[in-house]
Amino acid sequence: MSILGSCTDLIPNLVWIVPIAGGALSVLGARFGGAVRNAIAVGSGLVAALLATSLFFISDFSNYTLTGKILDDYTICGTQATWIQALNLKAGVLVDPLTAVLAVTVSWVSFLILFYSLGYMKGERNLTRYYFLMTFFIGNMLLLVMSDNFLQLFLGWEGVGYCSYALIGFWHSDESRYWVGTLGEKTAGVPESYSPSQAGLKAFIMTRAGDVAFLAGILIIFAYSGTFNFMQLSVDLGAKSNWATNLMSVGLFVPAAFLIFGGAIGKSAQFPLHEWLPDAMAGPTSVSALIHAATMVNAGVFLVGTVGPLFVQAANSLNIVYPFFATVAAIGAFTALLAASQAMVLDELKKVLAYSTVSQIGYMMLGLGVAGLSTKGNFSFGFTAGFFHLMSQALFKAALFMCAGWLIHVTGSKYMSEMGGLGRSMKITFYTMLVVALSLSGIFPLSGFWSKESILSAALQAGGISDIFYIIGIVAALMTAFYSMRMIGLIFTGDKSSNVKALEEKGGHIHEAPPTMWVPYALLAIATVALGIIAPIFFQQRLGSLFSAYLRNFGIPSPYSFSILSDIVPLSIGLAVAIVGVLIGYLAYVRRSINPKTVVASGPLTLGAYRFFHHRWYINAFYYKVFVYPVVSGANWLYRNFEEKVIDPINIGAPEFGGDASDLLRKIQTGIEEEYVFAFAAGIVMLIILLAIFAHL
Amino acid sequence: MYISPDQFPLYLAGVLAGVALTIVLLSVTGKRSKYIAMGLSTAGFAFAITFIVLQALGYFGTVQNNPTSSSLFATDWVSYIFGVAVLLVALLVGLTAVDYFSDVIGTDVTTFYALLVFTTIGTLLLIFSANLLMMFVAWEMMSIPSYVLTGFKKKDPASNEAAVKYFVISAFSSAVLLYGISLIYLLTGNLSIYQIVRLMPNGMTVSGMTNFQPIGLLALTFFVAGFGIKLAAVPFHMWIPDAYQGAPTIVSALLSTATKGATFAPAIRVLFVMFSSSTFQPDWTLTFAVLSVLSMTLGNFAALTQKSVTRILAYSSIGQAGYILIGVAAGGQLGLTGSFFHILNYATMQSCAFLAAALIIKNVGSDNLDSFNGIGKRVAVAPMALTLSLLALGGFPPLSGFWSKFVLFLSAFQSTSNLSWLAIVAIINSFVSIAFYVRIVKHMYLDEGNSTTKLVETNGFKASLILASAIIVGTGIYPGPLIEFATEAARSFMSEISSTQLIERLAFILHSL
């Protein structure tokens, strides 16, 4: 029996309602002072995290223990309430292993970051807005995760999108110190620096491109199935002729899947919609940690994890959905490489981390993609690996961002080259960041090692085209290890930069972060170590069997247990690659026996590659030249030629017509009673005539 | 406790008459406490609402009487929903009257309350009446106190002028109505609406006439003209702007909603029961479509350039009558549902708008649009309530007016008589109407006013406006029950399909959009 009695929908609902209510209450609380407001915001984050954790206890999948008891099935939690009767729409929550894992990860990381904000945002202005948006974000993210239908999910989806936009542009007065990118730097004539408000807008518009596709996909499915509900969609598949067969007969099944994946691409910043995330770093670092590293960007992965199995069930064979999963895997692998390559050459600390996030999410997509490509039918291996990496990335990336927040704050610079030699003055931050960076690099036995290698193993196991993805993944892993070490080396070792020296001469003191800040990231570092240590068992027995049960619900045969230890060869290859990457980074940036500058300058190939990476593969410039500038100039043209010459006359003409007609009608109203009576009589005559003509007796 | 549905309206009227007489007695004995009058009348209205709700729930026995009986009254869903709506408006007005007349010299608010209750009794009896003579008596019971209410500001010439204009035109409406009734009696020898429908074919034998149809058509004309005056339908609308502007604004709220709603109920009974006999079934679709187009076009366009808020609202009332007539023209269960639904929403929207305007006009001393400038900064509830009600009248989702307009337009599209053009005209009109509805909002919130001193909002007004706003927003977000009541009421006339089927059909249409 579950600890909290029978399955109830109260707690799953509270999970997302509490933070939203907390956000609203914190605004009220602000009237009684900042401390009250902060306490409400952080408190609601904690309550949400505790409630999310309790999902494991109220649901029957808590029966499963590490001792190896096999789980036959789990109970789905949650009832539904009528929402819009006319559409037969019911609002509800759904608790399955996927949502429970996501909710727990999201809520705990969110809580730690809220706590970190107490220190990080101290002394900032407009904190009421900040805390409201942060908690509102968390609530929407949890709503997205917990909802049992597409429409509700989409509401949360747009809610987090809005909060992301508003928080990227938090410093909306656009002081130059808040800009992201280096002022004056240009790629093919396109400026590479953005003000916070522009970065917010960019994020909003780019993700919106994906959202439009997503919405179209949802509506196509709704048009054929008449429901938004995930369970209902799955149940309806039992009929011989169902929405999926109907969709397939008109050839819309795979397109709909791709459209929905479009939303995932936008939200998770995958190629070709990845360019918004690096510039989203214009927001406060705590925001970057929460939204642009640990939670919201995972929404796309979650979406694929929600619809992927459904599509497999609907198609009833992997062959039909093969293009979908192949695309997911290909985009994931390519994005992992694309972003990792750019992270190697950047000087801005947060941008390195941003590209790293894009790259790591690419890995997750790769994992989910190869799950569907698996020729051995082992869907759950790649699936589990993808979500394991999601958890692991959330831990170490949030920690990395929080460390970065402190570093940028204390040195007053966002460039790594303006830090240097900080290791001695802040031991906790140094060791924390070293541990999490090694986890990111994939060094044994940290969680990052297990999660990344499990994805790569899954790719190798899947065979076929996945072998190519495996190779791309390995190359990206090499780059990842290199840039992680480069980051550590540039920041903490070597000589102090002129910026730091100047700071110290002015009497500034480079020191350790206050506990409100270092405790959260140190905790996350410990968590990444702990997760790494228990990973072999946890992955195989806990997560693996949970997801196997989840997938069996969709009729996907999956073994209950599989091991990442069995594939010792890919594991050692992966570890070797990581070590090589770390070693190169160590030699170049810690030991400094290789001078990276001379390497880059050594030949046209290396120089060309450096420039190519540095200019973001020219993708951003390309987008601006192809999409933004033509649209802007087209809009200007339209304004001059259409708005001023066509619309304006109509806009002025139509009301004038209304006014003229109105004046005419007003003249009828003379105010003279005799005329009113006459009008009345005339009206009766008119009625008689009308009735006589039309009555058809 | 058992109450015969045939006598239920009499109990209702009796209770309210008791309240009215008590107020009069208090007034005569010199205890002219306006607060006692207000308390008594609002309590009376609230009690009457409860009484109707209990009857509708079957608390007193049979829910509906047999409409074909010779009873004077039809106690059915139409009566229930219109009765509650009218009482609600009376309650809203009653809450505000003490405050509204607080600084008008030479008025006795106690009398106002007595008249308010008397006119409400008339409207209720009119709604319930199923007999032409009863209907006419109730019609007069409703009208006569309302003339006095219109001229209640004795020292104000505009108020007096309004009362006289209203009285003269109303006298004509009573006259033509009576003429129509007499013609029907000539044809059938009966006055009971539900019996006439069966007697119509035998009409020839009563008067010995062989061709009764021209007379029937004439009677129909007189009924439409008579009802049209109170419904503010063009071309019987001429008195409306002058009377609404001149009357005390809270009385305009009453006239434009309670009177109109109460007129609509017997109008529908006469049209859809009495004139639906198998031998005499005039096709009035196009006639009403023309009236509808005239009403909404004139109402909406004339409102565009008005400078006075009360006149804008008066023209809005004419325009809304046009929308309501769409349902009558389209006919069928969907059309009637739309009309009922819209008139219920209209009652709260329009009365809320007039009451909010009344508060502002009383405070700034003018109903000129420019004097509404910057009101949004000077007072909280009234401009908010006015904005809400105007947006609802304009049909903004998710406020209540949106849904009923939607059903009305849908009924035109779905009508067997191919009334798509009417729906399109109505949609264009809706767009035009937004211009003047939003213009008032703009003046209140965006324009700078001369003064920034705070205005006093008294509790009576606040309570009334918040109640009305809550209904507008509440029924907008959750329109389900109201649609069901309206469907149930429409079923008394057209039981083509059951209410659940109709809702399913609505859902299907929404779905396929």
Side-chain angles (χ1 to χ4, degrees), chain A residues 26-43:
Chain A
S26 76
V27 175
L28 288 180
R31 294 190 130 191
F32 306 100
V36 179
R37 172 196 64 208
N38 299 356
I40 293 173
V42 178

Side-chain angles (χ1 to χ4, degrees), chain A residues 116 146 227 271 275 282 345 374 416 434 449 472 477 488 509 519 521 550 581:
Chain A
Y116 171 85
M146 310 291 301
T227 179
F271 177 81
E275 285 293 353
V345 298
S374 173
M416 294 191 288
L434 182 64
F449 165 76
I472 298 176
I488 297 293
H509 179 50
V519 168
Y521 54 70
Y550 172 70

Side-chain angles (χ1 to χ4, degrees), chain A residues 623-645:
Chain A
Y623 284 172
Y624 268 81
K625 292 226 158 169
V626 174
F627 296 116
V628 180
Y629 296 153
V631 168
V632 170
S633 55
N636 282 332
W637 183 86
L638 275 178
Y639 178 77
R640 281 193 309 275
N641 293 299
F642 190 66
E643 170 84 19
E644 287 184 347
K645 290 183 183 155

Side-chain angles (χ1 to χ4, degrees), chain B residues 100-101 104 107 146-166 242-249 251:
Chain B
Y100 183 78
F101 289 111
V104 179
T107 54
S146 72
Y147 305 143
V148 188
L149 286 175
T150 308
F152 202 71
K153 285 182 174 174
K154 283 188 285 199
K155 304 271 164 74
D156 180 359
S159 184
N160 287 319
E161 186 192 332
V164 171
K165 277 183 174 164
Y166 176 33
D242 294 358
Y244 285 8
Q245 192 184 14
T249 316
V251 175

Side-chain angles (χ1 to χ4, degrees), chain A residues 602-623:
Chain A
S602 64
L605 193 68
T606 47
L607 195 61
Y610 176 81
R611 287 210 179 121
F612 187 60
F613 296 157
H614 193 81
H615 289 304
R616 307 165 81 156
W617 293 40
Y618 294 95
I619 294 172
N620 191 45
F622 174 77
Y623 284 172

Side-chain angles (χ1 to χ4, degrees), chain A residues 138-216:
Chain A
I138 296 168
N140 272 294
M141 182 71 200
L142 290 167
L143 167 66
L144 182 166
V145 169
M146 310 291 301
S147 66
D148 72 344
N149 62 71
F150 273 124
L151 205 62
Q152 212 176 333
L153 182 146
F154 192 75
L155 279 185
W157 188 270
E158 291 300 315
V160 295
Y162 162 70
C163 292
S164 162
Y165 154 78
L167 283 167
I168 293 170
F170 179 72
W171 288 308
H172 55 82
S173 44
D174 290 349
E175 288 100 334
S176 58
R177 66 196 158 115
Y178 295 132
W179 284 47
V180 65
T182 307
L183 268 178
E185 202 171 276
K186 285 189 176 180
T187 299
V190 178
E192 287 285 5
S193 58
Y194 300 94
S195 67
S197 46
Q198 197 192 344
L201 200 61
K202 185 177 177 182
F204 200 62
I205 290 173
M206 276 194 108
T207 50
R208 201 59 59 249
D211 292 354
V212 170
F214 180 27
L215 192 59

Side-chain angles (χ1 to χ4, degrees), chain B residues 38 64 67 152 323 348 351 377 384 410 430 448 456 507:
Chain B
M38 173 171 151
Q64 267 178 292
F152 202 71
Y323 299 134
T348 41
S351 56
K377 294 202 184 85
M384 203 60 233
L410 203 63
S430 253
E448 288 290 325
V456 188

